[in-house]
Amino acid sequence: MISAKGYAAQTNTSDLAPWTFDRREPGPHDVQFDILYCGVCHSDLHQIRDDWFPGIFPMVPGHEIVGRVVKVGDKVTKFKAGDLAATGCLVDSCGHCDNCKHDLEQYCLEGATGTYNAHERDGKTPTYGGYSNTIVVKEEFVLRLADNADLPATAPLLCAGITTYSPLRHWKVGKGHKLAVLGLGGLGHMAVKFGVAFGADVTVLSTSPKKEADAKKLGAHNFVVTTDEAQVTAARGTFDFILDTVSAEHDFNMYLSLLKTNGTMICVGVPSNPASVSAFSLLGGRKSLAGSSIGGIKETQEMLDYCAANNIVSDIELINIKDIKHAYERMLKGDVRYRFVIDMATL
Ligand code: NAP
Ligand code: ZN
């Protein structure tokens, strides 16, 4: 066993604190890499607080992981010691269901294995995430990074990046489309960058008037303050797509009214409680309400390569792991500019 150190929540009410735990020695198909940076996703906070479902504790969160390979198993062909490596939200899946065969491991019909708050395929060994110094991952679930990658700013691509890239690609959002990005946080700011890169006309829908200048700097063409009734009224019926990245309860019916006829609202944000949607909000204008979860490994690599070729990274605040509680407090207030990334040297 490898003795790893990290930050864990011992229960769904405790703060993250230093914790030492075991990881498996790399098997023939495994890559061990030391973690240099890990992004802070709102899903980390949802999960240590049991917002969605009862979690597996102690829990070491973190699924935007970048680092450098220290050891590989005999059968590993794509990585060697010294290479950069990355892991996102998935570390395994069944590998044989229809979705896995079509590079959609995130929708594995037997349930994909999350990077943390999950069990390995044996059904009993807990997985521990990236708020730690080292990790062991099956080669197929390890992503490649360009040698000159800006590592801290690349880390958030592993979740915030792929979660917004994948639906925009799936629905072929681009030239001629009006895209609204709802919520300008970690996911939202990446959605703006991708939407603009794909040629869409991008509007940010935000509760924070102070983010307007940033939205424009990110490339957004328009900005609507969703607490301003006049601005919302003017935006009614104007969008082909809304990518909803909001982490807290919000009024789906109000946002659906902003879609054009045949428009689609895609949920990627996951508030703790179900939303109430009136059939009238959908049938008047033949609208669709859809969802999307992260992305498969092949598409995540494609997204990383696309970002490297087009100089796309995340806008980050690098933090000391000892300040994680404060970062979470700011995230809850919507004050993220636009992703916290932990410098693992501070562990
Ligand atoms: P984040 O950085 O905290 O951003 C969320 C943004 O939502 C905030 O910055 C804020 O933007 C807006 N917001 C917050 N409360 C709101 C409210 N009550 N009404 C309207 N807008 C509100 O979070 P994130 O890391 O981007 O994650 C966003 C959500 O996506 C979380 O629920 C997370 O769990 C989920 N997620 C899903 C997937 C997936 O695969 N589908 C993957 C990763 C994360 P403004 O200040 O602009 O209003
Ligand atoms: Zn995430």
Side-chain angles (χ1 to χ4, degrees):
M1 284 292 185
I2 296 167
S3 175
K5 58 180 185 166
Y7 261 47
Q10 296 296 325
T11 71
N12 65 3
T13 54
S14 52
D15 288 337
L16 291 172
W19 187 56
T20 304
F21 58 102
D22 288 335
R23 297 214 188 257
R24 67 176 184 271
E25 284 290 343
H29 298 281
D30 288 335
V31 174
Q32 182 193 356
F33 63 98
D34 281 350
I35 300 173
L36 298 172
Y37 301 98
C38 183
V40 176
C41 181
H42 207 117
S43 305
D44 300 343
L45 182 53
H46 285 307
Q47 291 183 84
I48 61 164
R49 291 290 171 258
D50 281 356
D51 278 354
W52 298 334
F53 45 78
I56 300 164
F57 291 91
M59 191 188 302
V60 178
H63 56 207
E64 295 183 337
I65 307 169
V66 298
R68 202 172 282 284
V69 175
V70 288
K71 202 169 169 188
V72 299
D74 316 337
K75 299 272 171 23
V76 168
T77 57
K78 288 187 291 191
F79 294 91
K80 57 178 188 328
D83 288 349
L84 292 177
T87 287
C89 304
L90 301 175
V91 291
D92 212 345
S93 71
C94 83
H96 53 71
C97 74
D98 203 43
N99 285 344
C100 285
K101 280 194 205 144
H102 290 91
D103 298 307
L104 295 168
E105 300 86 0
Q106 76 275 34
Y107 305 125
C108 172
L109 297 173
E110 295 184 12
T113 306
T115 302
Y116 68 87
N117 196 17
H119 289 119
E120 298 283 1
R121 304 310 294 173
D122 65 6
K124 54 176 201 262
T125 309
T127 58
Y128 299 115
Y131 295 11
S132 61
N133 64 335
T134 196
I135 191 164
V136 179
V137 182
K138 202 170 160 179
E139 178 181 24
E140 290 106 298
F141 288 79
V142 184
L143 286 307
R144 292 182 310 279
L145 299 177
D147 288 338
N148 60 350
D150 173 349
L151 286 185
T154 294
L157 301 180
L158 277 302
C159 174
I162 185 60
T163 302
T164 50
Y165 180 94
S166 181
L168 295 180
R169 284 304 199 207
H170 177 76
W171 274 275
K172 301 186 169 51
V173 177
K175 265 201 168 47
H177 288 137
K178 283 191 180 291
L179 166 69
V181 173
L182 173 50
L184 193 63
L187 268 56
H189 93 292
M190 290 311 306
V192 171
K193 292 188 185 211
F194 288 131
V196 170
F198 301 164
D201 181 89
V202 179
T203 298
V204 169
L205 305 177
S206 174
T207 58
S208 311
K210 285 195 205 128
K211 292 182 183 171
E212 177 162 5
D214 289 344
K216 298 274 168 71
K217 253 189 261 160
L218 290 164
H221 306 91
N222 306 295
F223 190 86
V224 171
V225 179
T226 52
T227 48
D228 180 329
E229 244 183 82
Q231 291 192 34
V232 171
T233 305
R236 289 242 159 83
T238 60
F239 301 114
D240 298 288
F241 295 97
I242 297 175
L243 189 63
D244 177 354
T245 76
V246 173
S247 50
E249 272 74 75
H250 55 291
D251 180 2
F252 277 39
N253 302 295
M254 193 272 267
Y255 293 108
L256 285 164
S257 77
L258 307 188
L259 288 174
K260 282 184 193 169
T261 300
N262 294 325
T264 302
M265 175 157 135
I266 306 156
C267 301
V268 290
V270 193
S272 356
N273 294 311
S276 162
V277 178
S278 161
F280 285 117
S281 300
L282 297 169
L283 58 84
R286 198 163 53 192
K287 294 169 183 174
S288 301
L289 181 59
S292 183
S293 177
I294 47 173
I297 297 301
K298 185 173 169 208
E299 194 177 37
T300 304
Q301 188 65 59
E302 175 195 306
M303 178 272 314
L304 288 168
D305 297 345
Y306 177 87
C307 288
N310 293 281
N311 292 316
I312 294 176
V313 287
S314 177
D315 291 14
I316 64 152
E317 265 186 62
L318 196 60
I319 63 165
N320 185 312
I321 197 163
K322 292 167 191 78
D323 296 329
I324 188 67
K325 187 176 177 187
H326 182 57
Y328 281 168
E329 285 163 2
R330 282 185 52 196
M331 189 154 71
L332 272 179
K333 287 192 282 189
D335 180 23
V336 181
R337 312 280 170 123
Y338 281 87
R339 197 60 146 183
F340 294 111
V341 173
I342 302 166
D343 180 352
M344 220 44 76
T346 63
L347 184 64

